[in-house]
Amino acid sequence: MWTEQNNKLSRSFEFSNFIEAWGFMNQVALIAEKMNHHPNWSNVYNQVVIDLNTHDAGGIVTEQDRVLAKAIDDIFKSL
């Protein structure tokens, strides 16, 4: 579940291993690039943490962040 606080949407994702986490990140990267809207994220082994906000809007959460969050959820559900 995404949480919104401190002007960002945040969510953690957990996978079975590093390869699954990396594959997920690759899929997210392709969508983010198409949207020209890139997440702040980190990956340690099987965990991926994603923070979304819109830098061009002053670092706040915008509809573009919500659209990307939904797309990320759809990727995660499809795995």
Side-chain angles (χ1 to χ4, degrees), residues 27-40:
Q27 290 184 54
V28 171
L30 293 172
I31 289 175
E33 186 64 17
K34 280 184 184 177
M35 292 179 65
N36 193 29
H37 192 57
H38 306 96
N40 296 313

Side-chain angles (χ1 to χ4, degrees), residues 2-11 32 35-41 49-69 72:
W2 291 91
T3 59
E4 184 174 346
Q5 71 182 64
N6 300 325
N7 292 319
K8 64 184 175 182
L9 287 177
S10 300
R11 181 166 178 193
M35 292 179 65
N36 193 29
H37 192 57
H38 306 96
N40 296 313
W41 58 10
V49 177
I50 300 177
D51 294 328
L52 302 174
N53 63 16
T54 303
H55 304 289
D56 292 344
I60 62 170
V61 175
T62 66
E63 184 59 26
Q64 191 174 22
D65 300 300
R66 296 181 196 295
V67 169
L68 182 54
I72 292 169

Side-chain angles (χ1 to χ4, degrees), residues 12-24 43-48 76 79:
S12 296
F13 298 87
E14 187 171 328
F15 300 89
S16 297
N17 55 49
F18 177 74
I19 296 298
E20 286 184 13
W22 192 265
F24 169 75
N43 163 241
V44 176
Y45 182 58
N46 68 335
Q47 295 204 347
V48 177
F76 186 68
L79 299 176

